[in-house]
Amino acid sequence: MLNQKNIRNIAIIAHVDHGKTTLVDAMLKQSGIFRENQEVEERIMDSNDLERERGITILAKNTSLHYENVKINIIDTPGHADFGGEVERSLKMANGVLLLVDAFEGCMPQTRFVLKKALDLQLAPVIVINKVDRPMARPLEVVDEVLELLLDLGASDEQLDSPVVYASAKDGWASLDPEEEGADLKPLFDTILSAIPHPEGDMDGDLQLLVSNIDYDGYTGRIAVGRIDRGQIHSGDQAVICRKNGTTTSIKLSNLYVFQDLQRIAVEEAGVGDIVAVSGIKDINIGETICCPSNIEPLPFVEIDEPVLSMTF
Ligand code: GDP
């Protein structure tokens, strides 16, 4: 079972078009996930039809990659406004954020909203100044803008001290020096490993998992997604769902998955800190906790706002 020290859960915060999809594509490719003949026909984080139609990412997705024995779970966050509390729910699975900003455009107002929520949740940011290859790029000014924004949003001293990585997602490299081109994304991967804390939690405790998202799959139906906050989960275990109204429902955990590159893969077990998906539980809802039957202890319920379909600023 994966030790929590070998896990990093990161959310990406970016304004639309600042290069989130391109960066995740490049990270996946460089982490060696794509086997030689596996074609990447679709860009990863934008693969949903609805998103494509609207040209924006509105549904949180999970993907993961491996770098130096560490599993990096990447949680997509909507880049604009809030859809049913989705930003908050996605951020709650993360232990740090990549704040991705275009080196020419700089900070955009829509990033502010999500960043504020991340800072309030005490997440550690890594600042990624992307598109430094653009002829008009002004990376150092943009870093100043980001720091101003962090100050403005009440970031802690630690958050203000966030590492900065300069990147060209398009060309697949990152560098810690704004004046120097990198060769690959290693500086970014290394910064993620060193600056973003691994998830905490007791591996030997009783299972606690907050359902942060619900996915649907035509084949398996409703799929609950969340991070294991405590303990372990084993396929076939008995468990209990703690409902918002205080009632509980007994269930059997039958189909358990973790995220690997772009897919959900079936596993027999998973441990604290990892992000998992459980299918086969028909009436499970966001905000409910999956617990061990002998220690029923719900996690704080995440309120879901009504979807806000217009911009709030
Ligand atoms: P997203 O909306 O944040 O997912 O942005 P995309 O990854 O779709 O990128 C938006 C546009 O910016 C695309 O045309 C990309 O090719 C381009 N782009 C992304 N990264 C870079 C980069 O590092 N340099 C340059 N010059 N363009 C980039």
Side-chain angles (χ1 to χ4, degrees), residues 17-22 43 130-131 133-134 168-170:
D17 274 350
H18 280 198
K20 180 163 64 177
T21 313
T22 310
R43 293 201 314 162
N130 188 35
K131 307 197 190 182
D133 61 279
R134 286 180 75 171
S168 170
K170 184 170 68 87

Side-chain angles (χ1 to χ4, degrees), residues 143-164:
V143 171
D144 282 345
E145 283 177 28
V146 173
L147 292 177
E148 256 170 51
L149 178 62
L150 288 172
L151 261 178
D152 203 32
L153 294 175
S156 66
D157 288 349
E158 229 176 2
Q159 288 169 329
L160 283 171
D161 219 14
S162 304
V164 181

Side-chain angles (χ1 to χ4, degrees), residues 1-292:
M1 189 167 316
L2 200 54
N3 185 303
Q4 71 214 75
K5 292 201 170 112
N6 294 333
I7 300 176
R8 297 293 181 281
N9 296 316
I10 57 170
I12 304 194
I13 300 178
H15 183 75
V16 177
D17 274 350
H18 280 198
K20 180 163 64 177
T21 313
T22 310
L23 183 69
V24 175
D25 269 352
M27 288 171 80
L28 279 167
K29 281 180 190 137
Q30 288 192 26
S31 76
I33 270 152
F34 293 124
R35 282 166 290 282
E36 249 166 69
N37 55 2
Q38 186 176 345
E39 279 186 34
V40 191
E41 287 181 1
E42 305 237 27
R43 293 201 314 162
I44 301 136
M45 310 285 274
D46 277 341
S47 60
N48 185 279
D49 283 344
L50 182 59
E51 289 172 37
R52 182 157 303 135
E53 231 167 68
R54 297 191 180 174
I56 49 175
T57 306
I58 63 164
L59 295 174
K61 301 245 176 57
N62 297 84
T63 183
S64 88
L65 50 87
H66 278 86
Y67 176 75
E68 288 185 353
N69 274 340
V70 176
K71 178 183 189 185
I72 303 175
N73 282 311
I74 300 177
I75 304 148
D76 192 17
T77 57
H80 53 89
D82 201 356
F83 288 83
E86 190 174 344
V87 167
E88 210 139 2
R89 291 189 274 112
S90 313
L91 290 175
K92 283 207 166 170
M93 289 190 274
N95 303 102
V97 292
L98 292 193
L99 175 60
L100 184 68
V101 186
D102 184 315
F104 170 67
E105 279 200 352
C107 294
M108 300 299 274
Q110 291 162 3
T111 320
R112 194 184 167 94
F113 172 85
V114 185
L115 182 59
K116 170 84 179 119
K117 298 216 171 217
L119 295 175
D120 290 349
L121 290 167
Q122 267 90 48
L123 296 177
V126 168
I127 300 163
V128 183
I129 307 295
N130 188 35
K131 307 197 190 182
V132 292
D133 61 279
R134 286 180 75 171
M136 302 283 281
R138 44 183 194 94
L140 293 178
E141 275 172 44
V142 171
V143 171
D144 282 345
E145 283 177 28
V146 173
L147 292 177
E148 256 170 51
L149 178 62
L150 288 172
L151 261 178
D152 203 32
L153 294 175
S156 66
D157 288 349
E158 229 176 2
Q159 288 169 329
L160 283 171
D161 219 14
S162 304
V164 181
V165 180
Y166 302 88
S168 170
K170 184 170 68 87
D171 297 336
W173 58 260
S175 168
L176 300 180
D177 181 344
E179 306 291 332
E180 236 171 71
E181 273 193 23
D184 52 28
L185 288 173
K186 204 172 176 337
L188 174 62
F189 285 125
D190 289 336
T191 306
I192 291 171
L193 262 48
S194 61
I196 293 182
H198 63 76
E200 298 284 342
D202 180 4
M203 180 71 103
D204 300 318
D206 294 318
L207 174 68
Q208 238 184 349
L209 184 161
L210 180 69
V211 177
S212 296
N213 233 323
I214 298 284
D215 266 359
Y216 297 90
D217 181 314
Y219 203 65
T220 43
R222 219 167 159 81
I223 302 164
V225 180
R227 190 184 70 195
I228 302 175
D229 252 59
R230 193 174 64 194
Q232 304 171 13
I233 189 165
H234 300 268
S235 180
D237 277 358
Q238 287 295 325
V240 161
I241 310 174
C242 304
R243 309 287 190 184
K244 190 183 179 185
N245 63 8
T247 61
T248 56
T249 310
S250 293
I251 51 160
K252 185 173 170 178
L253 296 167
S254 44
N255 301 305
L256 178 65
Y257 311 84
V258 294
F259 294 90
Q260 183 175 300
D261 54 78
L262 316 176
Q263 286 140 6
R264 273 191 305 267
I265 56 157
V267 288
E268 285 301 310
E269 57 181 22
V272 70
D274 209 354
I275 295 176
V276 297
V278 186
S279 71
I281 313 170
K282 281 197 190 69
D283 57 351
I284 194 157
N285 297 299
I286 286 168
E288 296 175 342
T289 306
I290 300 177
C291 292
C292 159

